Amino acid sequence: MASAHSIPSIEERFEFTSGAKRNLLIGGGIGLGLVLLGVYLAATGGGGHEAAASGAEHAAAAVGHGAAEHASAGHEAAEGHGASWMTRVWANLWVNGVYFTGISVIGMFFISYNYLAQAGWSAVFKRVPEALPAFLPITGVIMLVTFFLGGHDLFHWTHEGLYEVGGPEYDPIIAGKRGFLNTPFFIFRLVFYFVVWYGMWRVIRNLSLQEDEIGGTEFYEKSIRFGTAFLVVFGVTSSTSAWDFVMSVDTHWFSTMFGWYTLASWHVAGLAVITLIIVMLRDRGYLRAVNSSHLRDLGKFVFAFSIFWTYVWFAQFLLIYYANLPEENIYYIERFRGHGGFFKAPFFITLLLNFFFPFLVLMTRDAKFTHSILKVACWSVIIGHYMDFYTNIMPGTLGANAGFGPLEWGFFLLFICAFGYSVASQLEKANLIPRNHPMLEESLHHDIA
């Protein structure tokens, strides 16, 4: 249905002002200050729980559920839980690296499935998701360095004694996974993910910029092919990277739904970031061609995929709860009862921020295009899914030594400011609206009655 309102100019250039740069640098500086404060508090005994008590409680819980042979669930109790403040730094770098990697690559995922569907509605704001993957090299380097320097503290499977048959640390379960979980192959996969994701984004990005300058449909058709190829690649690597980055932390535990679960979390967080950036740009006078129908559809995306994430979360939880197999339910026991119950609060806060709050706030039609409501809902999802990755990774890396204070908030603020700087730098490099996109006219007249 064609809109009756006049169409704003499609010639828009984003200006990354010195004031905006200064604010992001100040935010990053505050984040760094919080990190240093957190390190000081952690180093002087200002955080964490009693590791020995937690380890005994964890082992008792495992035995109590018929898992004596897994009371080496002792990967958490025996090793990382004597963790130092430096291990806490590595763990926070890993959590934020994984989280912002996901948000970044979802930008490519979003434009790829829109290309495959030959969707017209999103053309007017495609520069926003197109800018997100530029941050991938930063998170890739951070994660690679973190693994080299702190991987031994974060990943129990990196300990050589686990594979020595007859040795005191020998673990037949982990030894059986050595073909996949070994350091050279892990590093190869980590590098492969980032090189392929970033490389395919560069191709799509260059085609988009060429289309802006030259026009025609040739670049659009090539983008469809490359976008489709990316979806095939990402369909596999989104799961394998979830196993590597998150699930391998709890080496004994596994879930056949974990790839879907992580993708759902990354996806809705990425959608929230895309929506938030668009709303913030509109507040500053940009993207005037984005109308209430575009915003409503973005609100629907965030609303719908918050529900989808909850569906996958509940399906995984219900199957494990109902089957009550010790090697599976230990994952939830540790988060409900382990480590003095420290992780129970963030576990349920995750549900509140990622489902109940956005579900209720975005339920009405008008809420989905109201700027203030979209901002609140999107920030809830962004913070909520950070908490999701925190509760997925921290119990297996830090256990009783985990905390939630200046160190955690400082790293999150530091990463989000760096991410914002990267996105703003990309937005400045091209016209905000892809002037020669074949579907632009349809997008400019996108109107839902």
Side-chain angles (χ1 to χ4, degrees), residues 349-368:
I349 288 171
T350 295
L351 265 184
L352 174 67
L353 294 178
N354 292 333
F355 174 63
F356 291 107
F357 188 77
F359 178 77
L360 294 173
V361 167
L362 294 176
M363 185 176 289
T364 64
R365 174 186 171 90
D366 289 351
K368 295 182 183 71

Side-chain angles (χ1 to χ4, degrees), residues 169-422:
E169 295 180 45
Y170 178 66
D171 189 318
I173 295 175
I174 297 177
K177 300 182 180 184
R178 193 174 193 179
F180 187 79
L181 289 180
N182 61 80
T183 297
F185 193 26
F186 184 92
I187 292 171
F188 169 78
R189 291 195 304 273
L190 193 154
V191 172
F192 176 79
Y193 299 143
F194 284 94
V195 168
V196 171
W197 293 344
Y198 183 75
M200 297 189 80
W201 169 73
R202 285 300 327 169
V203 172
I204 289 274
R205 173 71 166 171
N206 289 336
L207 288 171
S208 178
L209 297 180
Q210 287 178 286
E211 179 184 79
D212 237 26
E213 298 303 319
I214 301 171
T217 60
E218 176 189 356
F219 301 110
Y220 177 73
E221 290 165 357
K222 286 183 179 178
S223 296
I224 293 175
R225 291 196 291 272
F226 273 101
T228 303
F230 174 80
L231 291 175
V232 174
V233 171
F234 193 60
V236 177
T237 56
S238 61
S239 286
T240 56
S241 61
W243 304 340
D244 288 333
F245 298 165
V246 185
M247 196 166 72
S248 71
V249 167
D250 293 279
T251 319
H252 276 206
W253 183 78
F254 66 92
S255 167
T256 55
M257 297 183 68
F258 201 79
W260 281 104
Y261 175 85
T262 303
L263 176 59
S265 190
W266 273 348
H267 188 216
V268 71
L271 290 171
V273 167
I274 291 167
T275 304
L276 182 64
I277 293 171
I278 291 169
V279 169
M280 292 173 70
L281 286 171
R282 281 176 53 82
D283 282 346
R284 287 157 179 76
Y286 298 105
L287 292 180
R288 304 318 301 176
V290 171
N291 58 42
S292 60
S293 293
H294 293 110
L295 292 177
R296 187 181 294 122
D297 282 348
L298 286 166
K300 288 175 186 174
F301 261 85
V302 175
F303 178 77
F305 282 98
S306 293
I307 296 171
F308 177 73
W309 171 83
T310 310
Y311 160 73
V312 179
W313 181 97
F314 184 71
Q316 177 177 269
F317 174 80
L318 185 65
L319 289 172
I320 291 174
Y321 175 82
Y322 183 76
N324 198 28
L325 299 175
E327 65 270 23
E328 292 181 352
N329 63 25
I330 189 64
Y331 181 84
Y332 290 104
I333 289 172
E334 185 175 16
R335 283 151 183 79
F336 288 166
R337 292 191 236 157
H339 317 303
F342 175 77
F343 293 101
K344 193 170 186 178
F347 187 85
F348 286 106
I349 288 171
T350 295
L351 265 184
L352 174 67
L353 294 178
N354 292 333
F355 174 63
F356 291 107
F357 188 77
F359 178 77
L360 294 173
V361 167
L362 294 176
M363 185 176 289
T364 64
R365 174 186 171 90
D366 289 351
K368 295 182 183 71
F369 64 82
T370 303
H371 280 204
S372 57
I373 295 176
L374 282 174
K375 285 180 186 177
V376 171
C378 288
W379 274 117
S380 174
V381 169
I382 292 166
I383 295 171
H385 282 282
Y386 165 77
M387 296 289 290
D388 184 28
F389 280 93
Y390 178 91
T391 55
N392 283 338
I393 293 172
M394 288 300 190
T397 55
L398 294 178
N401 289 281
F404 208 93
L407 187 64
E408 284 68 31
W409 285 117
F411 269 119
F412 183 64
L413 181 59
L414 194 57
F415 268 79
I416 208 164
C417 287
F419 177 76
Y421 202 101
S422 170

